């Protein structure tokens, strides 16, 4: 049964009018990079809670959550209105199996995300495990507009400092410097993503996919055609997925 911790808001950072990062200080608790917890507040209609991935890594003292504002939603407008010093409840223990321990070994690790599906990858990349296990790591973040590319500066700095890491933004609704254009399944199918990252998807690749369920469904189909199938505990494969709604 979940327990609840009271956390204090340190920062509510707005990336754009509908995307923000809520950073809070909570009593310490253990989790595995890639897992999620629930945030809860009391609203006009009573208590409301939703699941959010931890963007921060387990060793970080500040908890970080990436949130999309849903106009008329029950929780996200309340979260967006929080100011430093306000309180929010955080559940423990953390949950979820979208963690690197569930991913088989390989030569390359491809992290594909849309929107806030980026969050668990930032948590994972802040640990030593991916850097020790994989020779090449590619993070691909698909968004609609350039100002949806949260944490881009952090990821660009990571790419500059770690030769085994590549960061590839994908922006679908406007031209954007350095970004590819198109849906992730199409970029996988055409080979354009592999060309941009100067790497090949093959039996030595492992992929994690997080975000829009339509993107995940279509990407799984494309990857299956390439001989890369979903990873299951009873039958290890090459693709590990997490759906966000």
């Amino acid at each position: 049964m979940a327990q609840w911790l009271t956390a204090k808001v340190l920062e509510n950072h707005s990336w754009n009018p509908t995307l923000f990062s809520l950073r809070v200080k909570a009593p310490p608790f253990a989790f595995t990079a890639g897992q999620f917890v629930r945030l809860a507040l009391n609203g006009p209609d009573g208590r409301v809670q939703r699941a959010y991935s931890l963007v921060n890594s387990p060793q970080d003292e500040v908890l970080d959550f990436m949130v999309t504002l849903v106009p008329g939603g029950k929780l996200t407008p309340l979260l967006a209105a929080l100011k430093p010093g306000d309180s929010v409840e955080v559940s423990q223990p953390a949950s979820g199996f979208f963690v690197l321990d569930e991913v088989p070994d390989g030569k390359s690790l491809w992290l594909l995300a849309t929107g806030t599906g980026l969050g668990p990858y930032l948590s994972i990349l802040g640990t030593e495990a991916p850097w020790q296990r994989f020779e090449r790591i590619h993070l691909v973040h698909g968004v609609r507009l350039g100002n949806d590319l949260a944490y881009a500066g952090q990821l660009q700095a990571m790419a500059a400092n770690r030769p085994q890491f590549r960061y590839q933004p994908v922006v679908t609704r406007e031209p954007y410097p350095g970004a590819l254009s198109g849906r992730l399944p199409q970029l996988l199918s055409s080979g354009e993503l592999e060309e941009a990252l100067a790497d090949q998807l093959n039996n030595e690749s492992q992929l994690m996919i997080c975000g829009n369920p339509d993107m995940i469904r279509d990407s799984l189909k494309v990857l299956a055609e390439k001989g890369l199938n979903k990873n299951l505990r009873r039958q290890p494969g090459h693709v590990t997925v997490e759906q966000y709604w």
Side-chain angles (χ1 to χ4, degrees):
M1 186 175 182
Q3 297 179 330
W4 292 90
L5 304 174
T6 299
K8 292 293 183 182
V9 176
L10 299 178
E11 181 184 14
N12 202 336
H13 175 78
S14 175
W15 298 101
N16 62 45
T18 59
L19 180 66
F20 61 96
S21 288
L22 185 67
R23 293 162 183 145
V24 306
K25 186 65 179 290
F29 68 95
F31 70 96
T32 301
Q35 289 189 310
F36 65 87
V37 294
R38 288 173 173 80
L39 300 180
L41 287 170
N42 291 318
D45 299 322
R47 181 183 172 85
V48 59
Q49 61 184 43
R50 296 287 185 274
Y52 292 96
S53 289
L54 289 142
V55 176
N56 59 290
S57 299
Q59 73 274 12
D60 298 334
E61 293 184 358
V62 175
L63 306 185
D64 192 355
F65 302 96
M66 189 176 174
V67 183
T68 297
L69 175 63
V70 180
K74 292 184 176 181
L75 180 59
T76 60
L78 300 176
L79 294 174
L82 291 174
K83 297 178 174 58
D86 289 344
S87 296
V88 61
E89 290 188 73
V90 181
S91 70
Q92 67 166 19
S95 304
F97 298 99
F98 195 66
V99 299
L100 209 56
D101 287 346
E102 298 291 326
V103 177
D105 289 332
K107 295 288 188 182
S108 62
L109 177 64
W110 300 63
L111 308 173
L112 310 184
T114 54
T116 57
L118 175 70
Y121 298 144
L122 291 165
S123 183
I124 290 168
L125 291 171
T127 68
E128 285 303 311
W131 312 105
Q132 294 172 350
R133 288 185 54 191
F134 297 92
E135 295 178 7
R136 302 179 302 282
I137 301 173
H138 309 300
L139 189 149
V140 182
H141 188 201
V143 297
R144 295 176 299 173
L145 301 173
N147 65 3
D148 293 324
L149 290 170
Y151 302 89
Q154 177 181 331
L155 291 165
Q156 289 164 351
M158 187 181 295
N161 293 323
R162 289 189 179 267
Q164 75 197 92
F165 177 69
R166 297 284 299 273
Y167 165 57
Q168 180 59 63
V170 177
V171 180
T172 60
R173 295 193 181 180
E174 65 179 3
Y176 192 83
L180 298 177
S181 178
R183 295 185 67 236
L184 295 188
Q186 295 167 339
L187 297 174
L188 288 168
S189 178
S190 68
E192 189 175 352
L193 187 58
E194 293 169 84
E195 182 179 356
L197 293 170
D199 201 358
Q200 291 186 333
L201 287 166
N202 54 40
N203 286 334
E204 294 184 327
S205 306
Q206 284 293 329
L207 299 96
M208 300 179 75
I209 310 181
C210 186
N212 183 297
D214 291 337
M215 178 275 292
I216 292 176
R217 180 198 63 221
D218 295 344
S219 295
L220 284 171
K221 181 179 178 181
V222 171
L223 292 167
E225 293 169 353
K226 294 177 178 287
L228 303 172
N229 296 306
K230 191 173 180 180
N231 177 41
L232 304 171
R233 283 186 169 179
R234 65 181 182 274
Q235 185 176 348
H238 298 90
V239 189
T240 304
V241 303
E242 175 85 312
Q243 294 195 3
Y244 257 36
W245 62 84

